[in-house]
Amino acid sequence: MFIKRKRIILVLLSSLFVGGCQMSDEQSNETKPVEQKPSEVAVEELPNTRALQDEFTREMIKSTKETEKGYYTLESKTGVYEMLFPTGGEIDGIGYTRKDESSEAFLAGILYNDKTEALLRIKYTNALSNDETGIGYAKELLTNSIGEDMEFDRIDGKGKVTYVAPFTMDEGLYGYAAYIHPDKGWGGVEVVYSASCVDNLKSCNPQKEKFKKRAYKLISSVKFLNKNEAKK
């Protein structure tokens, strides 16, 4: 089952870049962005980034202005959390799922301006309690979805707790998996940031400085918006 899942992930990683791989961050900001929602700006006037040129992705972007260089702020359609999102990212709208404010899941392909690629998988649910039992179950679910044993580090701060671990798969995927939950209330966000090294398995190293920095940047940016302090 794990092998089949890994092959599916590899296919998704490849397919998310088809059609958009020619547009990178180097082509961004041909128009000067201001503090506006993408829906308030004519398409032809939007910055020329993958995130804003894709119709579905821009629905989840908070502003046409970059939050920091190379990143927008993504707003969850549940209204429960937000996080940084690369300007070179594109969400798979067909695979996006949501149930009111209780759950959300999506995949995004990322193309950076140095031509490197990554896959971002997000899954939110408010079904789990944030006690020892609930957190243990959340980490078990995340480990099973990756199909590899992982040792999680715990990071506390900014009203949340983060559990994060590196992983390397035999099929040529590597990355970081994290579960983030608020200090109070129910639920949490799974973040899986991965890349493929099928052509060169020796390069499968999640500890590479640039890769790790990009992974931790997204994982640490998750912010809860105080809308999930009680179980729905």
Side-chain angles (χ1 to χ4, degrees):
M1 182 181 297
F2 290 154
I3 292 175
K4 184 180 292 185
R5 181 183 295 117
K6 293 173 186 177
R7 288 174 179 168
I8 291 172
I9 293 173
L10 282 170
V11 171
L12 288 170
L13 180 60
S14 299
S15 64
L16 280 169
F17 299 106
V18 174
C21 62
Q22 298 303 313
M23 184 183 295
S24 69
D25 294 347
E26 292 173 342
Q27 297 170 294
S28 66
N29 300 324
E30 291 184 2
T31 58
K32 186 176 180 179
V34 294
E35 196 73 39
Q36 292 178 284
K37 285 186 172 295
S39 59
E40 299 173 346
V41 181
V43 174
E44 61 271 16
E45 296 179 0
L46 287 169
N48 191 28
T49 59
R50 291 184 78 218
L52 293 185
Q53 290 300 313
D54 179 70
E55 182 177 1
F56 184 87
T57 305
R58 65 173 172 262
E59 292 177 3
M60 298 182 68
I61 300 300
K62 189 173 183 178
S63 170
T64 56
K65 185 176 181 180
E66 294 179 15
T67 306
E68 55 183 272
K69 185 174 177 58
Y71 294 87
Y72 296 120
T73 293
L74 177 144
E75 292 184 304
S76 165
K77 290 188 176 184
T78 64
V80 173
Y81 67 94
E82 64 182 26
M83 64 183 294
L84 291 179
F85 189 79
T87 58
E90 184 175 317
I91 296 171
D92 173 21
I94 296 176
Y96 175 90
T97 61
R98 177 171 69 92
K99 183 178 180 181
D100 302 320
E101 295 182 3
S102 63
S103 66
E104 180 179 56
F106 62 87
L107 285 166
I110 302 169
L111 178 63
Y112 290 101
N113 60 6
D114 60 4
K115 307 304 180 184
T116 58
E117 302 174 355
L119 180 68
L120 177 67
R121 191 184 85 198
I122 302 294
K123 183 178 180 182
Y124 166 76
T125 179
N126 70 354
L128 298 175
S129 62
N130 288 328
D131 56 16
E132 184 176 348
T133 300
I135 293 168
Y137 186 57
K139 290 193 289 184
E140 181 181 351
L141 287 173
L142 184 53
T143 298
N144 289 341
S145 72
I146 297 298
E148 301 288 333
D149 292 331
M150 295 185 293
E151 294 292 331
F152 290 90
D153 290 329
R154 173 172 172 159
I155 304 171
D156 294 81
K158 298 183 178 180
K160 63 186 178 183
V161 179
T162 301
Y163 297 88
V164 59
F167 64 85
T168 303
M169 295 181 178
D170 293 338
E171 266 71 17
L173 281 177
Y174 65 102
Y176 286 87
Y179 179 70
I180 308 112
H181 69 82
D183 284 343
K184 299 179 181 179
W186 288 64
V189 179
E190 284 186 8
V191 179
V192 179
Y193 181 88
S194 60
S196 173
C197 52
V198 177
D199 296 331
N200 182 9
L201 295 180
K202 292 183 179 180
S203 68
C204 284
N205 181 8
Q207 301 295 347
K208 288 189 294 186
E209 183 177 356
K210 181 181 289 186
F211 182 86
K212 182 177 182 179
K213 183 177 180 180
R214 286 172 170 173
Y216 269 74
K217 189 176 193 68
L218 296 180
I219 290 167
S220 64
S221 73
V222 173
K223 177 182 178 182
F224 294 98
L225 304 176
N226 300 320
K227 293 187 178 182
N228 65 334
E229 293 193 352
K231 185 179 179 182
K232 302 295 187 294

